[in-house]
């Protein structure tokens, strides 16, 4: 009688195989969890405020800004009083008293300007038929910086026998530096109007993406300019509320090619088009 072939499996080998399989499943599960966590970490959702919430928050921020600007002007006046020796503190030298006032003036100016810009994105001003007013309101941080420092600088430079030469130079330099800082931080380089925000909200109904820095938002999370960045996601309203007032040029170009009408939306300057054109220029040209 022919002997039947058979297979004999050692028990410990079977256990090893099971353990090996379980280990592979655990590793696969761990990799999946890590991928999910990485995706969640990379793209953080941001809630959208209602119109009533936006307007209420913007009003509060503007009131606080106004109060801080009043304090900034008060510190400027105090510095002028110290300059003309109308105010005197025995234990505090005149020069240092003025510098302290200038620094406090700067702090109030900067915080007020940042809050004002935040309010201008939450509840933008209208631009139609009011371009001058729109410019003044959106650049109020820059204007107030000039008001809070330029008069003081002029008085320091034109005053005679109020400060010794060294003190005058130091106070003037400190005031000019404060003016530059307040001006740069107070200027809104990317203002958005109420009309532009409304048009963006009407046209872009899906999620957009932005990074922790910059002023642009993107339609594609894999846009070449943010491909390796951690992202925030939300509605275009949330993006604008958080200071991202311009649509990325590359995203806009792709959307327009797909047939989306982006007219009336605040978009990045066409610098991207120049970059693209330069990239297509043959070597040697």
């Amino acid at each position: 009688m022919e002997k039947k072939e058979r297979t004999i499996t050692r028990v410990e080998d079977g256990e090893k195989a099971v353990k090996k399989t379980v280990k592979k499943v655990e590793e696969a599960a761990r990799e999946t969890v890590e991928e999910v966590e990485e995706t969640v970490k990379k793209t953080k959702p941001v809630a959208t405020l209602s119109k009533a919430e936006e307007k209420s928050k913007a009003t509060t921020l503007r009131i606080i800004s106004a109060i801080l600007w009043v304090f900034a002007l008060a510190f400027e006046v105090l510095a002028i009083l110290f300059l003309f020796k109308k105010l005197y503190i025995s234990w505090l030298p005149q020069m240092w008293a003025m510098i302290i006032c200038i620094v406090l003036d700067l702090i109030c100016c900067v915080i007020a300007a940042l809050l004002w810009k935040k309010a201008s994105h939450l509840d933008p001003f209208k631009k139609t038929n009011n371009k001058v007013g729109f410019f003044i309101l959106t650049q109020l941080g820059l204007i107030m910086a000039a008001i809070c420092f330029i008069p003081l600088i002029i008085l320091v430079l034109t005053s005679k026998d109020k400060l010794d030469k060294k003190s005058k130079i130091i106070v003037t330099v400190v005031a000019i530096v404060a003016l530059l800082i307040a001006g740069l931080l107070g200027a809104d380089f990317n203002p958005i109007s109420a009309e532009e925000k409304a048009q963006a909200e009407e046209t872009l109904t899906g999620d957009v993406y932005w990074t922790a820095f910059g002023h642009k938002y993107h339609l594609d999370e894999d846009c070449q300019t943010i491909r390796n960045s951690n992202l925030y996601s939300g509605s275009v309203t949330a993006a604008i509320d958080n200071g991202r007032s311009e649509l990325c040029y590359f995203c806009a170009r792709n959307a327009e090619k797909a047939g989306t009408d982006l007219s009336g939306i605040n978009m990045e300057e066409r610098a991207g088009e120049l970059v693209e054109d330069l990239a297509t220029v043959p070597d040697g040209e």
Side-chain angles (χ1 to χ4, degrees), residues 85-160:
K85 299 180 181 178
K86 300 295 184 181
L87 191 61
Y88 172 74
I89 299 177
S90 59
W91 51 269
L92 187 61
Q94 180 189 23
M95 183 188 76
W96 285 107
M98 293 185 67
I99 290 175
I100 290 172
C101 289
I102 292 170
V103 171
L104 292 173
D105 187 353
L106 172 62
I107 292 171
C108 290
C109 266
V110 169
I111 296 175
L114 294 177
L115 294 180
W116 186 267
K117 286 195 290 185
K118 174 70 174 178
S120 297
H121 286 86
L122 287 168
D123 182 30
F125 299 103
K126 290 185 177 181
K127 189 175 184 180
T128 306
N129 301 323
N130 189 30
K131 292 183 178 181
V132 175
F134 178 77
F135 174 81
I136 292 173
L137 290 171
T138 55
Q139 302 303 327
L140 193 57
L142 175 61
I143 294 170
M144 289 304 300
I147 294 173
C148 288
F149 291 102
I150 290 179
L152 174 61
I153 293 171
I154 292 173
L155 289 173
V156 171
L157 290 174
T158 57
S159 62
K160 295 180 179 180

Side-chain angles (χ1 to χ4, degrees), residues 60-70 111-116:
T60 301
L61 293 177
R62 285 173 178 142
I63 292 172
I64 296 172
S65 294
I67 294 171
L68 287 171
W69 274 321
V70 169
I111 296 175
L114 294 177
L115 294 180
W116 186 267

Side-chain angles (χ1 to χ4, degrees), residues 6-18:
R6 57 181 178 172
T7 302
I8 300 176
T9 304
R10 291 179 62 84
V11 173
E12 59 264 32
D13 293 341
E15 290 177 351
K16 288 180 180 178
V18 171

Side-chain angles (χ1 to χ4, degrees), residues 93 104 174 207 238:
L104 292 173
V174 171
D207 277 357

Side-chain angles (χ1 to χ4, degrees), residues 1 20 36-37 68 91 117 154 156 169 194 198 210 212 216 234 237 271 279:
M1 184 177 179
K20 190 174 182 180
V36 172
E37 289 178 345
L68 287 171
W91 51 269
K117 286 195 290 185
I154 292 173
V156 171
I169 293 172
W210 65 95
K216 296 186 287 291
T237 302

